[in-house]
Amino acid sequence: MKIHSLDVYIIDLPTIRPHHLAMHTIVTQTIVIACIKSEDGIEGWGEVATIGGASYSEESPEAIKLNIENYVKPLIIGENPVNFDALSYKINRYVKGNYFAKALVESAMVDLVAKTLNIPAYELFGGQCHESLPVAWTLASGDTAKDIEEAQNCLAAKRHNIFKLKIGKGNPKTNVAHVIKIKEAVGDAGSVRVDVNQAWDEVTSLYCIEALQNGGVDLIEQPLVRWDNEGMSRLTSRFKVPIMADESLGTVQEAYQISKLRAGNVFALKVPKAGGLTATKKVAAIAEASGIPMYGGTMIESSLGTAICAQLYSTIPELTFGTELFGPLLFKDNITVNQIEYENFEMKIPSGPGFGMEMDREKVKHYSRDI
Ligand SMILES: [Mg+2]
């Protein structure tokens, strides 16, 4: 089997409501998808999602597309995708950084190989430990009454019982009070967690985390800027409430440094941050070796990207904090014929050949744009 072609598309998908993050408000989410075709005409599809252009990561959707077309594509055309890990090493020799771009290409290669073998992709990563996984929902309307109503609707529908609040934007004390009111309303029926998206300094973190811990919040995600591992380490040793590393935790090397410094005592895995599926398994191995529990993060992928992350996360035994693979629920429309199924507070791991998703070509055409 040889790789015959590689095409990259930028897709803009509208969301059902504005999604407020510290760095950006999403009303249209941009994902990048890739199609790798073998000489026998079989297609493998991959996806990575971006948030707010270059506001979350250095890699904008446009840069991902251009760098793949100009620098990665020539390295893999004519190669056998069965060697996807070896090919990633080859790509790493010639292309520095560009982790999202590399993750996109690897996921399309994996989908192609698994479809050719007629097996689910998770069989290429050691097999499935979970048939379904818990999914957190992000309450991001910014309005306390609306967020409480949304949480109560999720609980009643048995859709989600884990709620995350993005509190990096605005006044920290007001935000903390907002979260505590939501925790009081939800009570023991749900877990309430916060993501600060690097917005606080250490002094602000000291009083805010104390208040959140006393208010019954279960997890504090990335309070400090991504490079401040020493500060994260001090916060982790000071509080009982777990502190999760997200933006500071990308590559395998960063995972090692964070585990050594205990700059966070929970790892947020994300396939594109690490540079691919194989690299994410290595990050998970460092967590496992260090006794650090894990969480399956999202960049707010569509159904395809969600299936990619879900299949990989399903191969990791100790995903103690569940996942946040809610992406498809935030979109007005989707680019696959079949959809991710959510029931009883969990998502079912897709199990068809490849990542188990069939592309809707009309939708891909409809929502794609030029650079
Ligand atoms: Mg986060």
Side-chain angles (χ1 to χ4, degrees):
M1 184 186 6
K2 281 184 181 172
I3 294 174
H4 176 68
S5 65
L6 189 171
D7 295 295
V8 183
Y9 308 88
I10 298 177
I11 306 267
D12 293 319
L13 284 173
T15 59
I16 54 169
R17 59 150 167 75
H19 196 73
H20 299 284
L21 312 176
M23 73 300 281
H24 178 69
T25 297
I26 303 172
V27 286
T28 305
Q29 169 68 327
T30 303
I31 60 170
V32 190
I33 62 173
C35 178
I36 293 183
K37 218 183 261 187
S38 68
E39 281 180 323
D40 6 341
I42 299 174
E43 292 178 350
W45 289 83
E47 174 187 332
V48 288
T50 61
I51 290 174
S55 69
Y56 182 95
S57 142
E58 298 90 338
E59 291 178 78
S60 68
E62 296 80 11
I64 292 169
K65 179 174 161 66
L66 275 177
N67 284 341
I68 290 175
E69 288 172 347
N70 291 348
Y71 305 109
V72 179
K73 185 176 171 179
L75 298 171
I76 62 164
I77 294 291
E79 298 285 351
N80 187 341
V82 166
N83 304 316
F84 59 87
D85 194 23
L87 287 170
S88 290
Y89 275 103
K90 180 182 173 185
I91 293 166
N92 280 336
R93 273 209 305 279
Y94 298 101
V95 181
K96 302 300 169 209
N98 286 279
Y99 300 105
F100 282 53
K102 288 170 181 171
L104 175 56
V105 170
E106 190 205 28
S107 62
M109 286 197 283
V110 166
D111 191 48
L112 173 57
V113 172
K115 277 182 182 152
T116 305
L117 298 171
N118 199 29
I119 56 169
Y122 53 69
E123 291 191 13
L124 298 170
F125 291 91
Q128 207 178 36
C129 303
H130 313 278
E131 288 180 6
S132 65
L133 285 167
V135 182
W137 179 248
T138 296
L139 300 169
S141 77
D143 178 280
T144 308
K146 263 193 203 165
D147 279 358
I148 289 173
E149 192 189 339
E150 199 169 296
Q152 282 165 343
N153 289 342
C154 287
L155 286 167
K158 290 198 164 188
R159 177 57 69 78
H160 307 279
N161 56 8
I162 304 169
F163 303 105
K164 174 160 146 178
L165 286 117
K166 296 283 197 176
I167 58 167
K169 200 175 167 185
N171 181 297
K173 279 188 177 166
T174 312
N175 289 339
V176 166
H178 167 69
V179 173
I180 290 171
K181 273 185 204 145
I182 292 169
K183 177 61 195 172
E184 280 167 3
V186 166
D188 293 336
S191 170
V192 173
R193 306 166 178 185
V194 297
D195 188 356
V196 189
N197 285 116
Q198 320 180 61
W200 293 344
D201 57 28
E202 199 171 336
V203 178
T204 309
S205 299
L206 286 175
Y207 71 77
C208 286
I209 296 175
E210 175 114 350
L212 291 165
Q213 180 174 276
N214 293 340
V217 168
D218 291 318
L219 185 66
I220 314 291
E221 181 172 345
Q222 196 73 46
L224 303 182
V225 67
R226 65 187 302 272
W227 46 259
D228 193 1
N229 280 339
E230 290 182 7
M232 285 282 281
S233 180
R234 284 189 289 272
L235 294 176
T236 303
S237 59
R238 184 174 181 122
F239 294 106
K240 285 199 182 88
V241 62
I243 310 280
M244 183 156 75
D246 182 12
E247 286 93 330
S248 58
L249 170 71
T251 62
V252 175
Q253 293 77 11
E254 285 167 348
Y256 169 67
Q257 291 298 332
I258 291 170
S259 70
K260 203 168 71 160
L261 290 168
R262 235 36 177 200
N265 49 6
V266 182
F267 273 11
L269 304 175
K270 280 179 188 168
V271 173
K273 283 192 310 184
L277 298 147
T278 311
T280 304
K281 283 284 277 192
K282 291 178 185 172
V283 170
I286 290 169
E288 186 183 332
S290 320
I292 291 177
M294 283 169 268
Y295 177 68
T298 185
M299 288 294 297
I300 313 188
E301 292 85 5
S302 83
S303 47
L304 172 64
T306 297
I308 292 168
C309 298
Q311 282 221 4
L312 197 273
Y313 297 160
S314 79
T315 69
I316 296 168
E318 297 297 333
L319 212 60
T320 315
F321 282 82
T323 79
E324 56 177 6
L325 293 175
F326 63 81
L329 299 169
L330 191 66
F331 296 122
K332 277 188 187 156
D333 201 359
N334 239 315
I335 55 164
T336 52
V337 175
N338 56 326
Q339 302 306 325
I340 303 283
E341 292 173 45
Y342 295 87
E343 62 176 28
N344 208 19
F345 303 114
E346 301 208 331
M347 70 172 292
K348 277 195 197 164
I349 310 301
S351 58
F355 292 110
M357 303 310 286
E358 191 192 333
M359 301 305 293
D360 185 330
R361 284 160 193 293
E362 280 306 306
K363 296 277 179 67
V364 169
K365 204 171 142 194
H366 178 72
Y367 289 111
S368 64
R369 66 158 153 103
D370 293 332
I371 287 178

